[in-house]
Amino acid sequence: REMWPGNYAPTACHYFIRLLSDKGILQRCYTQNIDSLEHAAGIPFDLLVAAHGNFDAAHVVDDNVGLASSYDVDITELQDALHDPGDEGWQELREYHGGLVKPKIVFFGEDLPERFFQLQKADLAKCDLLIVMGTSLQVSPFNTLLSLTPEHVPRLLINREAVGSCEELANGFNFDQFDSDCQDVFYQGDCDAGIESLAERLGWLTDLRKLVAMGRQEAEELQHSEKLPCHSAFTDECHETF
């Protein structure tokens, strides 16, 4: 219950990715976030790869009555069960489905979703711009995505500090401004500030701010609803997103 999304809402970063989708130029969004904020921002499921899973789906994870671990459960059933303050709700759900139900998030030691491995090579081979935001690039195999881009593809890192250098990762970032072959650019600062600067240069700032305003209104409506809130406040962070 404590892990369930409810403290944050999509930021300008999430809505910029949504804007790329709306304009038909988003190949894919890869994220390690488990908070489902990409979905809340309106990014289509087929354009999203949640490498560590998220709260968009749920499944049965133990097997008391012969049900396979891949048995899926509607996430709203789990949400409603956790709405109860005690243990009765999730225990009734477990009894009903014959096993413990949890969101499809990846815990330490568990395999990443097959979708992550199925799409990455083709996606990165096709991209003509890679944007990396809010990340330490310390977690493998997620950080290996950086190495899959062709050499001619420009790459933009929007981050508070430079990470993922070519000295640390295969085909990592090279921010040497004196290297004529360098295709990498580093914006140092908060993700939202970097995205707004990029949107302004593209002539999209008005469109981006409209999406953010729409999201703020929706978040306020959710916060005052009777259901367990999915997203109710804003944060400056957008971690581990490609």
Side-chain angles (χ1 to χ4, degrees):
R1 186 178 292 112
E2 289 76 13
M3 294 176 62
W4 199 277
N7 295 318
Y8 305 106
T11 69
C13 293
H14 298 95
Y15 285 113
F16 180 80
I17 301 170
R18 156 77 181 275
L19 196 57
L20 294 176
S21 171
D22 289 351
K23 292 180 180 295
I25 57 176
L26 178 65
Q27 175 68 27
R28 204 84 60 187
C29 171
Y30 285 78
T31 179
Q32 284 187 283
N33 295 339
I34 64 170
D35 51 25
S36 295
L37 293 183
E38 294 82 11
H39 176 210
I43 301 170
F45 285 111
D46 63 316
L47 295 181
L48 178 66
V49 175
H52 288 174
N54 55 29
F55 287 79
D56 290 344
H59 63 159
V60 175
V61 294
D62 62 2
D63 185 358
N64 294 328
V65 292
L67 295 175
S69 61
S70 60
Y71 177 67
D72 290 342
V73 176
D74 191 323
I75 191 66
T76 58
E77 293 186 41
L78 180 58
Q79 183 178 7
D80 290 342
L82 293 178
H83 185 63
D84 296 333
D87 296 334
E88 183 177 348
W90 68 263
Q91 288 179 347
E92 288 181 354
L93 189 67
R94 178 176 187 168
E95 181 178 353
Y96 178 80
H97 286 288
L100 183 66
V101 178
K102 83 168 184 66
K104 283 191 173 181
I105 53 178
V106 178
F107 290 125
F108 182 78
E110 294 182 332
D111 293 333
L112 270 60
E114 190 63 29
R115 178 176 170 81
F116 173 79
F117 300 101
Q118 289 175 340
L119 296 175
Q120 57 176 269
K121 289 185 178 180
D123 281 346
L124 273 297
K126 292 177 182 177
C127 84
D128 51 19
L129 170 64
L130 179 67
I131 302 176
V132 184
M133 297 185 286
T135 176
S136 66
L137 286 180
Q138 293 293 313
V139 179
S140 180
F142 192 84
N143 60 6
T144 62
L145 294 174
L146 190 63
S147 68
L148 299 179
T149 54
E151 292 185 0
H152 67 277
V153 172
R155 301 180 297 187
L156 170 62
L157 173 65
I158 302 175
N159 214 38
R160 290 177 178 173
E161 58 185 3
V163 295
S165 72
C166 53
E167 297 176 351
E168 300 170 323
L169 297 174
N171 196 26
F173 286 118
N174 174 17
F175 299 122
D176 185 355
Q177 59 180 325
F178 300 108
D179 185 346
S180 60
D181 295 328
C182 177
Q183 297 290 322
D184 299 331
V185 177
F186 174 42
Y187 176 96
Q188 186 170 17
D190 289 340
C191 292
D192 282 355
I195 281 300
E196 288 189 356
S197 178
L198 177 59
E200 184 175 18
R201 288 174 177 267
L202 292 170
W204 299 352
L205 189 56
T206 299
D207 293 340
L208 177 61
R209 287 177 173 172
K210 285 181 180 179
L211 283 178
V212 172
M214 177 191 68
R216 186 184 298 274
Q217 181 178 356
E218 291 177 352
E220 291 175 352
E221 292 173 355
L222 280 171
Q223 190 174 15
H224 292 92
S225 69
E226 294 183 356
K227 279 186 171 290
L228 187 70
C230 291
H231 314 285
S232 59
F234 281 79
T235 177
D236 291 329
E237 300 298 332
C238 180
H239 295 289
E240 306 284 7
T241 300
F242 279 69

